[in-house]
Amino acid sequence: MITRTIFIPALRYKRGVVFFVQDEINYDREITMKRILLCCAAGMSTSMLVARMQKYASENHLAVEINAISINELEDHIHHCDCCLLGPQIKYKLSDIEEKLSPLNIPVAVINTMDYGMMRGDKVLESALAM
């Protein structure tokens, strides 16, 4: 295979995060986007958190796709995520959801209560990227 290398502002992938750098880039390089799914009782409060997370991601040039859903919609979205975060109000469902997602190698965690309550999108996003 012939690979053409050029010197332009490019994307650098490191530990699940995409960074913008001035560097050599190969045309055959593939960069993946991390897909994060937030679940809560109704999908309302997490949607506000998603907006904060997306703002932080765009400010820091992070390639992520973040969606908020109700716990009742999880079955429909199970195959479209790389990790799943649960709102603190449904942490009692953690073991059930882990059973569903562990065969698919999708990590599940409960969002820190303080970060959730204070709508700290940056902290929540960093914890999701670390999964």
Side-chain angles (χ1 to χ4, degrees):
M1 172 168 52
I2 299 173
T3 303
R4 184 173 178 206
T5 304
I6 57 174
F7 191 77
I8 57 169
L11 301 173
R12 171 68 50 89
Y13 182 77
K14 182 179 180 184
R15 283 199 263 159
V17 181
V18 178
F19 299 93
F20 287 89
V21 293
Q22 185 83 8
D23 199 4
E24 288 185 358
I25 185 168
N26 295 327
Y27 283 115
D28 62 344
R29 184 195 221 163
E30 182 179 332
I31 298 172
T32 59
M33 177 181 293
K34 183 137 185 171
R35 299 170 300 172
I36 303 166
L37 189 62
L38 275 67
C39 296
C40 74
M44 301 298 281
S45 55
T46 51
S47 63
M48 294 186 296
L49 185 59
V50 166
R52 299 265 178 111
M53 293 170 70
Q54 288 173 336
K55 180 181 177 193
Y56 178 76
S58 66
E59 288 171 354
N60 292 285
H61 308 289
L62 303 175
V64 293
E65 177 186 323
I66 311 166
N67 293 306
I69 61 166
S70 161
I71 192 67
N72 299 327
E73 301 173 42
L74 183 62
E75 293 292 328
D76 300 332
H77 298 273
I78 220 167
H79 298 287
H80 306 290
C81 68
D82 296 317
C83 68
C84 181
L85 296 174
L86 304 179
Q89 69 272 34
I90 59 166
K91 68 181 174 185
Y92 67 93
K93 294 242 186 199
L94 178 63
S95 60
D96 296 337
I97 294 171
E98 281 179 329
E99 281 181 30
K100 290 179 185 177
L101 298 181
S102 63
L104 302 171
N105 293 323
I106 298 173
V108 182
V110 177
I111 300 170
N112 179 287
T113 306
M114 286 298 291
D115 292 339
Y116 190 84
M118 300 293 290
M119 291 289 153
R120 294 182 187 141
D122 57 336
K123 301 279 187 190
V124 176
L125 182 58
E126 292 296 332
S127 67
L129 294 174
M131 294 174 76

